[in-house]
Amino acid sequence: MAQSRQMSHILGATSESGRPTIARASYDGRMRFTPSPIALRLFCLSILALLLSGCGEPEAATPLLRWYVFDEPSGAFEQAAADCSAAAEGRYQITLVPLPSDADQQREQIVRRLAAGDAAIDLIGMDMIWTAELAAADWIRPWPAAAAMQARAGRLQSAVESATYAGQLWAVPFTTNTQLLWYRADRVDQAPATWSELIARSERPGATGTIQAQGARYEGLTVFFVSLLASAGGSVLSPDGRSVSLATEPTRRALAIMQTLARSPAADPALATSREDDARRAFEAGTATFMLNYTYVWPSARSNAPEIAEQMHWARWPAVDPDRPSRVTLGGINLGIGAHSRYPEQARAAALCLAGERQQRQAAIRGGLPPTIATLYDDPAIRATFPFAELLRATLRDAVQRPKTPLYADVSLAISHTLHPLHEIDPIADVARLRRAVARALRSQGLL
Amino acid sequence: MKGWRNPEHRLGWALCAPAVLAMLLVTAYPILYALWLSLFRYDLRFPDERQFIGLANYLTVLSSPAWWQTLFNTLVITISSVAVELVLGLVFALIMHRALIGRRLVRTTLLVPYGIITVVAAMSWRFAFDPTTGFVNALLGLEGAWLSERWSAFFVIIQTEIWKTTPFMALLLLAGLSLVPDDLLRAARVDGANAWQRFIRITLPLMRPMILVALLFRTLDAFRIFDTVFIQTRGAQGTETVSILGYNTLITRLNLGLGSAVSVLIFVCVIAIALLYLRGFGVTILHREDR
């Protein structure tokens, strides 16, 4: 009894003398808990100002359009916003709101805010894989017929297709992108035309890491798979996007190529964690002979490794069948209008200006982002930036869309989780596994 | 009911009321709402297809290998980091307690990691272990991508956790150390107990409640680990934890029903851990005046 009394006395002291020590130490250097009267007053004032500004905004003379788009480092987007604001002559003013550089985090932020009915999102620089999701959830506005005509005019068919869902246009195509095969002209005379040729030719003894591709468990792996599957003549979903396709023959061929590549000495040992930038670095370091990557690697190599850029040549993404040209996955940004925007009219006008010829040329020359306006590929300034413009346009014409479903995020996770790591793929058994995983994702069921 | 006649008791409740109300508003409501949501098939993208499905979400989660895999990963991280932290924390607490010179400097230095934001710490360690930019490989003369293999990735994550939160453990244990009466230690010395005996027989038993409180706090904290794993591997290489699973389901896949079920199950695990400590090890933080 006496002992337990003493125990409880000790415990009493614990929470009385122990706690303050903890509290003081853990808050040290972070914040103080005694606000000065001035700080308190300022805080109240700022809250008041916030409330008042919230009431006053709709009366502003010039509508302020917020353009949410990924943080483009060259400043081409900022320039575009300024130019279009000036050209609007007071009809609207565009401010740029940069999103995180990571594509998943861009989507998370945009989707969460749109679901909550955020009226401050006027213009969205949408990764084209969001089109179906945002459209089906009514988070973006469809383009009325007349405006849609304007938005489609002169633009690459595949880019327009990427902004279309359920027979309607949901965004204006702004920039596009796709992968090419980059190779070292000092090591190979002619680029291989097919995957089997590419792998066979790189498998010289002792030549590790000569082919650079994307094998980490992320969106890039899905892109790799979709390109191989389409080149083999298959598709992930049925044409209506509601059920799984993944025909046995093409799927098996795509999986077999992934497995062969991953087990080949020609693949990078770190293929399981390799993303686009890892491939670029390995190529710039001089170890790789072949690389599958987007066009941004060209300006990057020219400034980071000029002597390697000298020898850097390009070719079409390898085919699966010798007599069927490859179909490569399309990427790019389209401009959509937030469903809760207070100024949809002005936002559409602004989107057309931002995705106009002048701004696309800017984005191409300054930012290295390939345009969606077909004729720009004949422009001398663009040809100087992209010497591979002709090949790029041809690849884009045959490009394949990623699965068009509102559940794309789930489908992509299902694909990349099932196929990672590539060297453990079993081309025969994994066709069924992949089908099951994608079917479950389409029903938005189960954990991934 | 007797209590209500006691005016002091009533005053006590009245004084507590604002805090209780605030707690109800900011914690009870979201918890109950998550419980409610977990009973629905509810995808934020298709609000019209919302449908009551009872406990089906829980069945889905509990029958999924992904849940058990992530639970195992979480337990690996929790148990190994807390175990090392306890030993290191005790050593640090003793150093802080016994430091004769530069006591303030010693205490401040030991506390620095705890003052660093977890995301920043996780990034720094990721860069440190990076094969091209990091110093670790250069220092150890190794080559290899730590974060691209499962167990080495676990090692990086766990050591980041240890580096970051050992000071917290040490601080709680220091509070425990200051409870040990000097008289008692001196008396034991007079009776012939050596330093080790004094530590094992007197200091540790008297610190026991504080050690258990520290363990409880840290275990609950470690079980909910999110930021370190998110920054360092994003759950790849088989290092996904339950919090990341919940995040992927709720935030990436916008599946509110299934995601809420995962969150509720995490909550249940946390309660189970707390009960285990309270009942199993007899931590008595509550009702101490009653006896």
Side-chain angles (χ1 to χ4, degrees), chain A residues 11 14-15 22 30 105 107-108 111 133 217 273 406 410 443-444 446, chain B residues 41 45 148 172 179 210 234-235 247 252-255 258 284 288:
Chain A
L11 275 173
T14 309
S15 54
I22 300 159
R30 289 186 182 184
Q105 282 171 20
R107 173 179 162 273
E108 272 157 28
V111 155
E133 178 179 28
R217 199 186 72 174
T273 53
D410 303 50
R443 293 194 302 269
S444 93
Chain B
R41 177 179 156 77
R45 290 166 288 198
S148 63
L172 282 179
L179 294 176
M210 210 52 212
R234 276 239 170 168
Y247 173 87
T252 310
R253 298 176 60 203
L254 304 170
N255 198 329
L258 207 56
T284 43
R288 54 192 142 72

PDB file of all heavy atoms in Angstrom, chain A residues 11 14-15 22 30 105 107-108 111 133 217 273 406 410 443-444 446, chain B residues 41 45 148 172 179 210 234-235 247 252-255 258 284 288:
ATOM      1  N   LEU A  11       4.477   9.246 -10.049  1.00  0.00           N
ATOM      2  CA  LEU A  11       3.791   9.474 -11.317  1.00  0.00           C
ATOM      3  C   LEU A  11       3.226  10.870 -11.394  1.00  0.00           C
ATOM      4  O   LEU A  11       3.240  11.513 -12.426  1.00  0.00           O
ATOM      5  CB  LEU A  11       2.669   8.454 -11.492  1.00  0.00           C
ATOM      6  CG  LEU A  11       3.129   7.143 -12.089  1.00  0.00           C
ATOM      7  CD1 LEU A  11       2.014   6.146 -12.061  1.00  0.00           C
ATOM      8  CD2 LEU A  11       3.619   7.375 -13.502  1.00  0.00           C
ATOM      9  N   THR A  14       5.715  13.057 -12.421  1.00  0.00           N
ATOM     10  CA  THR A  14       6.056  12.870 -13.829  1.00  0.00           C
ATOM     11  C   THR A  14       5.308  13.858 -14.700  1.00  0.00           C
ATOM     12  O   THR A  14       5.885  14.607 -15.461  1.00  0.00           O
ATOM     13  CB  THR A  14       5.649  11.458 -14.292  1.00  0.00           C
ATOM     14  OG1 THR A  14       6.166  10.545 -13.391  1.00  0.00           O
ATOM     15  CG2 THR A  14       6.155  11.219 -15.687  1.00  0.00           C
ATOM     16  N   SER A  15       4.001  13.836 -14.506  1.00  0.00           N
ATOM     17  CA  SER A  15       3.232  14.656 -15.429  1.00  0.00           C
ATOM     18  C   SER A  15       3.343  16.122 -15.085  1.00  0.00           C
ATOM     19  O   SER A  15       3.055  16.963 -15.920  1.00  0.00           O
ATOM     20  CB  SER A  15       1.775  14.209 -15.426  1.00  0.00           C
ATOM     21  OG  SER A  15       1.306  14.223 -14.105  1.00  0.00           O
ATOM     22  N   ILE A  22       9.076  18.734 -21.775  1.00  0.00           N
ATOM     23  CA  ILE A  22       8.846  18.235 -23.133  1.00  0.00           C
ATOM     24  C   ILE A  22       8.257  19.333 -23.997  1.00  0.00           C
ATOM     25  O   ILE A  22       8.738  19.610 -25.087  1.00  0.00           O
ATOM     26  CB  ILE A  22       7.858  17.052 -23.102  1.00  0.00           C
ATOM     27  CG1 ILE A  22       8.422  15.939 -22.261  1.00  0.00           C
ATOM     28  CG2 ILE A  22       7.547  16.586 -24.492  1.00  0.00           C
ATOM     29  CD1 ILE A  22       7.387  14.990 -21.761  1.00  0.00           C
ATOM     30  N   ARG A  30      10.355  26.583 -33.015  1.00  0.00           N
ATOM     31  CA  ARG A  30       9.279  26.472 -33.988  1.00  0.00           C
ATOM     32  C   ARG A  30       8.311  27.642 -33.833  1.00  0.00           C
ATOM     33  O   ARG A  30       8.093  28.405 -34.734  1.00  0.00           O
ATOM     34  CB  ARG A  30       8.512  25.171 -33.794  1.00  0.00           C
ATOM     35  CG  ARG A  30       9.315  23.978 -34.198  1.00  0.00           C
ATOM     36  CD  ARG A  30       8.440  22.788 -34.116  1.00  0.00           C
ATOM     37  NE  ARG A  30       9.215  21.603 -34.455  1.00  0.00           N
ATOM     38  CZ  ARG A  30       8.700  20.407 -34.543  1.00  0.00           C
ATOM     39  NH1 ARG A  30       7.429  20.215 -34.328  1.00  0.00           N
ATOM     40  NH2 ARG A  30       9.453  19.387 -34.845  1.00  0.00           N
ATOM     41  N   GLN A 105       1.430  14.375 -58.099  1.00  0.00           N
ATOM     42  CA  GLN A 105       1.058  15.384 -57.116  1.00  0.00           C
ATOM     43  C   GLN A 105       0.251  16.512 -57.746  1.00  0.00           C
ATOM     44  O   GLN A 105      -0.603  17.103 -57.098  1.00  0.00           O
ATOM     45  CB  GLN A 105       2.307  15.920 -56.413  1.00  0.00           C
ATOM     46  CG  GLN A 105       2.782  14.924 -55.376  1.00  0.00           C
ATOM     47  CD  GLN A 105       4.122  15.262 -54.787  1.00  0.00           C
ATOM     48  OE1 GLN A 105       4.561  16.400 -54.847  1.00  0.00           O
ATOM     49  NE2 GLN A 105       4.775  14.283 -54.223  1.00  0.00           N
ATOM     50  N   ARG A 107      -1.952  16.053 -60.118  1.00  0.00           N
ATOM     51  CA  ARG A 107      -3.307  15.534 -60.203  1.00  0.00           C
ATOM     52  C   ARG A 107      -3.975  15.534 -58.832  1.00  0.00           C
ATOM     53  O   ARG A 107      -5.122  15.941 -58.702  1.00  0.00           O
ATOM     54  CB  ARG A 107      -3.279  14.116 -60.768  1.00  0.00           C
ATOM     55  CG  ARG A 107      -4.642  13.471 -60.725  1.00  0.00           C
ATOM     56  CD  ARG A 107      -4.644  12.073 -61.298  1.00  0.00           C
ATOM     57  NE  ARG A 107      -5.822  11.371 -60.844  1.00  0.00           N
ATOM     58  CZ  ARG A 107      -5.893  10.691 -59.711  1.00  0.00           C
ATOM     59  NH1 ARG A 107      -4.847  10.627 -58.927  1.00  0.00           N
ATOM     60  NH2 ARG A 107      -7.004  10.082 -59.361  1.00  0.00           N
ATOM     61  N   GLU A 108      -3.239  15.091 -57.816  1.00  0.00           N
ATOM     62  CA  GLU A 108      -3.833  15.032 -56.489  1.00  0.00           C
ATOM     63  C   GLU A 108      -4.357  16.398 -56.065  1.00  0.00           C
ATOM     64  O   GLU A 108      -5.460  16.521 -55.560  1.00  0.00           O
ATOM     65  CB  GLU A 108      -2.807  14.540 -55.468  1.00  0.00           C
ATOM     66  CG  GLU A 108      -2.804  13.027 -55.366  1.00  0.00           C
ATOM     67  CD  GLU A 108      -1.501  12.497 -54.825  1.00  0.00           C
ATOM     68  OE1 GLU A 108      -0.821  13.208 -54.071  1.00  0.00           O
ATOM     69  OE2 GLU A 108      -1.145  11.349 -55.186  1.00  0.00           O
ATOM     70  N   VAL A 111      -7.422  17.528 -58.416  1.00  0.00           N
ATOM     71  CA  VAL A 111      -8.608  16.699 -58.217  1.00  0.00           C
ATOM     72  C   VAL A 111      -9.267  16.988 -56.873  1.00  0.00           C
ATOM     73  O   VAL A 111     -10.476  17.128 -56.777  1.00  0.00           O
ATOM     74  CB  VAL A 111      -8.180  15.216 -58.335  1.00  0.00           C
ATOM     75  CG1 VAL A 111      -9.107  14.318 -57.589  1.00  0.00           C
ATOM     76  CG2 VAL A 111      -8.112  14.810 -59.786  1.00  0.00           C
ATOM     77  N   GLU A 133     -11.181  11.225 -66.594  1.00  0.00           N
ATOM     78  CA  GLU A 133     -11.527  11.298 -65.181  1.00  0.00           C
ATOM     79  C   GLU A 133     -12.221  12.619 -64.839  1.00  0.00           C
ATOM     80  O   GLU A 133     -13.299  12.640 -64.253  1.00  0.00           O
ATOM     81  CB  GLU A 133     -10.250  11.146 -64.344  1.00  0.00           C
ATOM     82  CG  GLU A 133     -10.491  11.247 -62.861  1.00  0.00           C
ATOM     83  CD  GLU A 133      -9.213  11.060 -62.050  1.00  0.00           C
ATOM     84  OE1 GLU A 133      -8.124  11.371 -62.574  1.00  0.00           O
ATOM     85  OE2 GLU A 133      -9.330  10.611 -60.904  1.00  0.00           O
ATOM     86  N   ARG A 217       8.570   1.312 -60.756  1.00  0.00           N
ATOM     87  CA  ARG A 217       7.137   1.090 -60.584  1.00  0.00           C
ATOM     88  C   ARG A 217       6.418   2.426 -60.562  1.00  0.00           C
ATOM     89  O   ARG A 217       6.195   3.015 -59.510  1.00  0.00           O
ATOM     90  CB  ARG A 217       6.904   0.323 -59.282  1.00  0.00           C
ATOM     91  CG  ARG A 217       5.546  -0.342 -59.222  1.00  0.00           C
ATOM     92  CD  ARG A 217       5.293  -0.951 -57.884  1.00  0.00           C
ATOM     93  NE  ARG A 217       5.059   0.067 -56.871  1.00  0.00           N
ATOM     94  CZ  ARG A 217       4.707  -0.208 -55.628  1.00  0.00           C
ATOM     95  NH1 ARG A 217       4.548  -1.440 -55.240  1.00  0.00           N
ATOM     96  NH2 ARG A 217       4.513   0.756 -54.763  1.00  0.00           N
ATOM     97  N   THR A 273      14.552   0.632 -60.861  1.00  0.00           N
ATOM     98  CA  THR A 273      14.257   1.940 -60.284  1.00  0.00           C
ATOM     99  C   THR A 273      14.486   3.039 -61.309  1.00  0.00           C
ATOM    100  O   THR A 273      14.542   4.216 -60.955  1.00  0.00           O
ATOM    101  CB  THR A 273      15.151   2.235 -59.060  1.00  0.00           C
ATOM    102  OG1 THR A 273      16.504   2.047 -59.455  1.00  0.00           O
ATOM    103  CG2 THR A 273      14.838   1.332 -57.904  1.00  0.00           C
ATOM    104  N   PRO A 406     -12.381   6.906 -66.850  1.00  0.00           N
ATOM    105  CA  PRO A 406     -12.307   7.766 -65.665  1.00  0.00           C
ATOM    106  C   PRO A 406     -11.465   7.121 -64.577  1.00  0.00           C
ATOM    107  O   PRO A 406     -10.991   7.798 -63.681  1.00  0.00           O
ATOM    108  CB  PRO A 406     -13.764   7.879 -65.208  1.00  0.00           C
ATOM    109  CG  PRO A 406     -14.594   7.434 -66.343  1.00  0.00           C
ATOM    110  CD  PRO A 406     -13.759   6.580 -67.227  1.00  0.00           C
ATOM    111  N   ASP A 410      -6.366   4.192 -61.472  1.00  0.00           N
ATOM    112  CA  ASP A 410      -6.407   2.832 -60.924  1.00  0.00           C
ATOM    113  C   ASP A 410      -5.827   1.833 -61.912  1.00  0.00           C
ATOM    114  O   ASP A 410      -5.060   0.943 -61.545  1.00  0.00           O
ATOM    115  CB  ASP A 410      -7.850   2.415 -60.622  1.00  0.00           C
ATOM    116  CG  ASP A 410      -8.543   3.356 -59.664  1.00  0.00           C
ATOM    117  OD1 ASP A 410      -8.488   4.575 -59.908  1.00  0.00           O
ATOM    118  OD2 ASP A 410      -9.142   2.887 -58.696  1.00  0.00           O
ATOM    119  N   ARG A 443     -13.470  -1.891 -61.913  1.00  0.00           N
ATOM    120  CA  ARG A 443     -14.616  -1.903 -60.999  1.00  0.00           C
ATOM    121  C   ARG A 443     -14.303  -1.079 -59.756  1.00  0.00           C
ATOM    122  O   ARG A 443     -15.099  -1.060 -58.829  1.00  0.00           O
ATOM    123  CB  ARG A 443     -14.933  -3.341 -60.598  1.00  0.00           C
ATOM    124  CG  ARG A 443     -15.445  -4.199 -61.754  1.00  0.00           C
ATOM    125  CD  ARG A 443     -16.059  -5.489 -61.230  1.00  0.00           C
ATOM    126  NE  ARG A 443     -15.117  -6.283 -60.443  1.00  0.00           N
ATOM    127  CZ  ARG A 443     -14.325  -7.224 -60.972  1.00  0.00           C
ATOM    128  NH1 ARG A 443     -14.388  -7.487 -62.242  1.00  0.00           N
ATOM    129  NH2 ARG A 443     -13.500  -7.909 -60.213  1.00  0.00           N
ATOM    130  N   SER A 444     -13.153  -0.404 -59.748  1.00  0.00           N
ATOM    131  CA  SER A 444     -12.597   0.337 -58.600  1.00  0.00           C
ATOM    132  C   SER A 444     -12.750  -0.480 -57.321  1.00  0.00           C
ATOM    133  O   SER A 444     -13.231  -0.014 -56.303  1.00  0.00           O
ATOM    134  CB  SER A 444     -13.160   1.755 -58.505  1.00  0.00           C
ATOM    135  OG  SER A 444     -14.255   1.874 -57.688  1.00  0.00           O
ATOM    136  N   GLY A 446     -11.000  -3.398 -54.532  1.00  0.00           N
ATOM    137  CA  GLY A 446      -9.788  -4.009 -54.021  1.00  0.00           C
ATOM    138  C   GLY A 446      -8.647  -3.031 -53.803  1.00  0.00           C
ATOM    139  O   GLY A 446      -8.654  -1.911 -54.315  1.00  0.00           O
TER     140      GLY A 446
ATOM    141  N   ARG B  41     -19.901   2.026 -50.641  1.00  0.00           N
ATOM    142  CA  ARG B  41     -19.113   2.006 -51.855  1.00  0.00           C
ATOM    143  C   ARG B  41     -19.203   3.425 -52.376  1.00  0.00           C
ATOM    144  O   ARG B  41     -20.271   3.873 -52.795  1.00  0.00           O
ATOM    145  CB  ARG B  41     -19.735   1.025 -52.841  1.00  0.00           C
ATOM    146  CG  ARG B  41     -19.034   0.982 -54.159  1.00  0.00           C
ATOM    147  CD  ARG B  41     -19.695  -0.046 -55.086  1.00  0.00           C
ATOM    148  NE  ARG B  41     -19.419   0.291 -56.481  1.00  0.00           N
ATOM    149  CZ  ARG B  41     -18.255   0.058 -57.077  1.00  0.00           C
ATOM    150  NH1 ARG B  41     -17.294  -0.511 -56.416  1.00  0.00           N
ATOM    151  NH2 ARG B  41     -18.062   0.396 -58.334  1.00  0.00           N
ATOM    152  N   ARG B  45     -15.267  10.310 -57.678  1.00  0.00           N
ATOM    153  CA  ARG B  45     -15.503  10.670 -59.072  1.00  0.00           C
ATOM    154  C   ARG B  45     -16.924  10.334 -59.514  1.00  0.00           C
ATOM    155  O   ARG B  45     -17.421  10.895 -60.474  1.00  0.00           O
ATOM    156  CB  ARG B  45     -14.499   9.924 -59.970  1.00  0.00           C
ATOM    157  CG  ARG B  45     -13.104  10.446 -59.795  1.00  0.00           C
ATOM    158  CD  ARG B  45     -12.108   9.497 -60.396  1.00  0.00           C
ATOM    159  NE  ARG B  45     -11.979   8.287 -59.571  1.00  0.00           N
ATOM    160  CZ  ARG B  45     -10.961   7.457 -59.651  1.00  0.00           C
ATOM    161  NH1 ARG B  45     -10.015   7.680 -60.512  1.00  0.00           N
ATOM    162  NH2 ARG B  45     -10.884   6.400 -58.881  1.00  0.00           N
ATOM    163  N   SER B 148      16.978   0.781 -53.857  1.00  0.00           N
ATOM    164  CA  SER B 148      16.353  -0.021 -54.907  1.00  0.00           C
ATOM    165  C   SER B 148      16.274  -1.487 -54.527  1.00  0.00           C
ATOM    166  O   SER B 148      15.833  -2.304 -55.307  1.00  0.00           O
ATOM    167  CB  SER B 148      17.082   0.157 -56.233  1.00  0.00           C
ATOM    168  OG  SER B 148      18.386  -0.310 -56.109  1.00  0.00           O
ATOM    169  N   LEU B 172      11.998  12.149 -22.957  1.00  0.00           N
ATOM    170  CA  LEU B 172      11.033  11.543 -22.045  1.00  0.00           C
ATOM    171  C   LEU B 172      11.765  10.760 -20.964  1.00  0.00           C
ATOM    172  O   LEU B 172      11.402  10.807 -19.790  1.00  0.00           O
ATOM    173  CB  LEU B 172      10.096  10.610 -22.813  1.00  0.00           C
ATOM    174  CG  LEU B 172       8.977  11.273 -23.592  1.00  0.00           C
ATOM    175  CD1 LEU B 172       8.153  10.224 -24.302  1.00  0.00           C
ATOM    176  CD2 LEU B 172       8.086  12.065 -22.656  1.00  0.00           C
ATOM    177  N   LEU B 179      13.424  11.721 -11.833  1.00  0.00           N
ATOM    178  CA  LEU B 179      12.522  11.320 -10.759  1.00  0.00           C
ATOM    179  C   LEU B 179      13.214  10.439  -9.724  1.00  0.00           C
ATOM    180  O   LEU B 179      12.695  10.227  -8.646  1.00  0.00           O
ATOM    181  CB  LEU B 179      11.354  10.521 -11.337  1.00  0.00           C
ATOM    182  CG  LEU B 179      10.420  11.273 -12.234  1.00  0.00           C
ATOM    183  CD1 LEU B 179       9.396  10.315 -12.774  1.00  0.00           C
ATOM    184  CD2 LEU B 179       9.779  12.386 -11.458  1.00  0.00           C
ATOM    185  N   MET B 210       7.807   5.748 -16.766  1.00  0.00           N
ATOM    186  CA  MET B 210       8.176   6.732 -17.788  1.00  0.00           C
ATOM    187  C   MET B 210       8.672   6.029 -19.062  1.00  0.00           C
ATOM    188  O   MET B 210       8.402   6.469 -20.171  1.00  0.00           O
ATOM    189  CB  MET B 210       9.283   7.627 -17.214  1.00  0.00           C
ATOM    190  CG  MET B 210       9.274   9.022 -17.759  1.00  0.00           C
ATOM    191  SD  MET B 210       7.659   9.798 -17.614  1.00  0.00           S
ATOM    192  CE  MET B 210       7.717  10.813 -19.058  1.00  0.00           C
ATOM    193  N   ARG B 234       8.449   5.957 -51.766  1.00  0.00           N
ATOM    194  CA  ARG B 234       7.062   6.007 -52.210  1.00  0.00           C
ATOM    195  C   ARG B 234       6.408   4.652 -52.085  1.00  0.00           C
ATOM    196  O   ARG B 234       5.458   4.345 -52.810  1.00  0.00           O
ATOM    197  CB  ARG B 234       6.992   6.449 -53.658  1.00  0.00           C
ATOM    198  CG  ARG B 234       7.026   7.917 -53.806  1.00  0.00           C
ATOM    199  CD  ARG B 234       5.770   8.362 -54.522  1.00  0.00           C
ATOM    200  NE  ARG B 234       5.681   9.796 -54.456  1.00  0.00           N
ATOM    201  CZ  ARG B 234       4.855  10.495 -55.163  1.00  0.00           C
ATOM    202  NH1 ARG B 234       4.042   9.905 -56.007  1.00  0.00           N
ATOM    203  NH2 ARG B 234       4.805  11.774 -55.037  1.00  0.00           N
ATOM    204  N   GLY B 235       6.923   3.793 -51.241  1.00  0.00           N
ATOM    205  CA  GLY B 235       6.311   2.482 -51.056  1.00  0.00           C
ATOM    206  C   GLY B 235       6.788   1.434 -52.048  1.00  0.00           C
ATOM    207  O   GLY B 235       6.340   0.299 -51.989  1.00  0.00           O
ATOM    208  N   TYR B 247      -3.322   6.313 -47.980  1.00  0.00           N
ATOM    209  CA  TYR B 247      -3.165   7.517 -48.813  1.00  0.00           C
ATOM    210  C   TYR B 247      -3.436   7.208 -50.281  1.00  0.00           C
ATOM    211  O   TYR B 247      -4.161   7.929 -50.951  1.00  0.00           O
ATOM    212  CB  TYR B 247      -1.742   8.055 -48.625  1.00  0.00           C
ATOM    213  CG  TYR B 247      -1.359   9.181 -49.535  1.00  0.00           C
ATOM    214  CD1 TYR B 247      -1.635  10.502 -49.185  1.00  0.00           C
ATOM    215  CD2 TYR B 247      -0.710   8.937 -50.735  1.00  0.00           C
ATOM    216  CE1 TYR B 247      -1.284  11.532 -50.019  1.00  0.00           C
ATOM    217  CE2 TYR B 247      -0.358   9.963 -51.576  1.00  0.00           C
ATOM    218  CZ  TYR B 247      -0.644  11.256 -51.211  1.00  0.00           C
ATOM    219  OH  TYR B 247      -0.292  12.279 -52.051  1.00  0.00           O
ATOM    220  N   THR B 252      -5.138   9.128 -54.019  1.00  0.00           N
ATOM    221  CA  THR B 252      -4.824   8.892 -55.427  1.00  0.00           C
ATOM    222  C   THR B 252      -6.004   8.265 -56.158  1.00  0.00           C
ATOM    223  O   THR B 252      -6.373   8.696 -57.228  1.00  0.00           O
ATOM    224  CB  THR B 252      -3.592   7.983 -55.566  1.00  0.00           C
ATOM    225  OG1 THR B 252      -2.562   8.508 -54.748  1.00  0.00           O
ATOM    226  CG2 THR B 252      -3.121   7.928 -57.002  1.00  0.00           C
ATOM    227  N   ARG B 253      -6.610   7.241 -55.535  1.00  0.00           N
ATOM    228  CA  ARG B 253      -7.702   6.561 -56.223  1.00  0.00           C
ATOM    229  C   ARG B 253      -9.058   7.154 -55.873  1.00  0.00           C
ATOM    230  O   ARG B 253     -10.069   6.744 -56.432  1.00  0.00           O
ATOM    231  CB  ARG B 253      -7.665   5.075 -55.891  1.00  0.00           C
ATOM    232  CG  ARG B 253      -6.380   4.410 -56.362  1.00  0.00           C
ATOM    233  CD  ARG B 253      -6.315   2.971 -55.938  1.00  0.00           C
ATOM    234  NE  ARG B 253      -7.420   2.207 -56.494  1.00  0.00           N
ATOM    235  CZ  ARG B 253      -7.872   1.072 -55.960  1.00  0.00           C
ATOM    236  NH1 ARG B 253      -7.333   0.596 -54.891  1.00  0.00           N
ATOM    237  NH2 ARG B 253      -8.865   0.428 -56.536  1.00  0.00           N
ATOM    238  N   LEU B 254      -9.102   8.088 -54.960  1.00  0.00           N
ATOM    239  CA  LEU B 254     -10.327   8.793 -54.572  1.00  0.00           C
ATOM    240  C   LEU B 254     -11.435   7.841 -54.144  1.00  0.00           C
ATOM    241  O   LEU B 254     -12.616   8.145 -54.274  1.00  0.00           O
ATOM    242  CB  LEU B 254     -10.827   9.680 -55.718  1.00  0.00           C
ATOM    243  CG  LEU B 254      -9.818  10.702 -56.236  1.00  0.00           C
ATOM    244  CD1 LEU B 254     -10.332  11.335 -57.515  1.00  0.00           C
ATOM    245  CD2 LEU B 254      -9.559  11.766 -55.196  1.00  0.00           C
ATOM    246  N   ASN B 255     -11.050   6.669 -53.652  1.00  0.00           N
ATOM    247  CA  ASN B 255     -12.036   5.685 -53.221  1.00  0.00           C
ATOM    248  C   ASN B 255     -12.304   5.909 -51.730  1.00  0.00           C
ATOM    249  O   ASN B 255     -11.638   5.345 -50.870  1.00  0.00           O
ATOM    250  CB  ASN B 255     -11.488   4.279 -53.485  1.00  0.00           C
ATOM    251  CG  ASN B 255     -12.583   3.256 -53.466  1.00  0.00           C
ATOM    252  OD1 ASN B 255     -13.571   3.414 -52.748  1.00  0.00           O
ATOM    253  ND2 ASN B 255     -12.438   2.222 -54.257  1.00  0.00           N
ATOM    254  N   LEU B 258     -13.402   2.553 -49.462  1.00  0.00           N
ATOM    255  CA  LEU B 258     -12.314   1.614 -49.198  1.00  0.00           C
ATOM    256  C   LEU B 258     -11.202   2.291 -48.379  1.00  0.00           C
ATOM    257  O   LEU B 258     -10.674   1.716 -47.434  1.00  0.00           O
ATOM    258  CB  LEU B 258     -11.764   1.118 -50.536  1.00  0.00           C
ATOM    259  CG  LEU B 258     -11.109  -0.242 -50.567  1.00  0.00           C
ATOM    260  CD1 LEU B 258     -12.054  -1.289 -50.049  1.00  0.00           C
ATOM    261  CD2 LEU B 258     -10.690  -0.571 -51.992  1.00  0.00           C
ATOM    262  N   THR B 284       0.269   2.967 -15.820  1.00  0.00           N
ATOM    263  CA  THR B 284      -0.828   3.631 -15.118  1.00  0.00           C
ATOM    264  C   THR B 284      -0.661   5.131 -15.266  1.00  0.00           C
ATOM    265  O   THR B 284       0.013   5.771 -14.478  1.00  0.00           O
ATOM    266  CB  THR B 284      -0.821   3.248 -13.634  1.00  0.00           C
ATOM    267  OG1 THR B 284       0.536   3.287 -13.196  1.00  0.00           O
ATOM    268  CG2 THR B 284      -1.398   1.869 -13.420  1.00  0.00           C
ATOM    269  N   ARG B 288      -4.633   7.882 -11.338  1.00  0.00           N
ATOM    270  CA  ARG B 288      -3.619   7.563 -10.350  1.00  0.00           C
ATOM    271  C   ARG B 288      -4.042   7.998  -8.945  1.00  0.00           C
ATOM    272  O   ARG B 288      -3.598   7.422  -7.976  1.00  0.00           O
ATOM    273  CB  ARG B 288      -2.273   8.166 -10.718  1.00  0.00           C
ATOM    274  CG  ARG B 288      -2.303   9.620 -10.957  1.00  0.00           C
ATOM    275  CD  ARG B 288      -1.002  10.079 -11.589  1.00  0.00           C
ATOM    276  NE  ARG B 288      -1.221  11.099 -12.567  1.00  0.00           N
ATOM    277  CZ  ARG B 288      -1.555  12.328 -12.244  1.00  0.00           C
ATOM    278  NH1 ARG B 288      -1.691  12.661 -10.979  1.00  0.00           N
ATOM    279  NH2 ARG B 288      -1.757  13.226 -13.170  1.00  0.00           N
TER     280      ARG B 288
END
